[in-house]
Amino acid sequence: MSQQPTTVEVKILDKEYLVACPEEEREALLRSARHLDSKMREIRASGKVFGTERIAVMAALNITHEMLERDTMSNATSTILKAMDNKLDTALGDSSGH
């Protein structure tokens, strides 16, 4: 069964946008819009970037960088945990006489 998208109004840098999304994703869309708005306001407040389009691109780059860093950290953590798990299995296997 296909759900009809609902139209959600989001406000980014004092400009309103209508975005279609499934009702169950409405809250996620609103959180995303608030996050983007916050990042764009930070960049605009720095006074180093002018123009909405440039601010949007810089915000997108910053958000993407944060996301990729988080993924990299998550992958590194996963690798460390797997190595620790293998060492524990080996140590427990050795101590139990197997």
Side-chain angles (χ1 to χ4, degrees), residues 44-93:
R44 183 175 67 181
S46 76
K48 296 178 184 175
V49 181
F50 300 99
T52 305
E53 184 176 317
R54 288 176 184 256
I55 291 171
V57 169
M58 291 306 298
L61 286 171
N62 288 339
I63 291 168
T64 302
H65 175 73
E66 290 169 3
M67 185 183 74
L68 291 174
E69 285 294 311
R70 205 172 304 129
D71 287 348
T72 299
M73 287 174 33
S74 178
N75 288 339
T77 301
S78 178
T79 300
I80 290 167
L81 289 174
K82 284 178 187 173
M84 289 173 64
D85 188 45
N86 288 338
K87 287 182 180 187
L88 283 171
D89 284 346
T90 300
L92 291 174

Side-chain angles (χ1 to χ4, degrees), residues 20-64:
C21 77
E23 182 60 39
E24 64 271 11
E25 301 213 8
R26 184 178 195 279
E27 287 305 314
L29 172 62
L30 292 171
R31 277 193 315 273
S32 297
R34 284 191 298 268
H35 184 67
L36 177 58
D37 181 63
S38 173
K39 290 293 184 182
M40 289 179 68
R41 287 178 185 282
E42 285 176 22
I43 292 167
R44 183 175 67 181
S46 76
K48 296 178 184 175
V49 181
F50 300 99
T52 305
E53 184 176 317
R54 288 176 184 256
I55 291 171
V57 169
M58 291 306 298
L61 286 171
N62 288 339
I63 291 168
T64 302

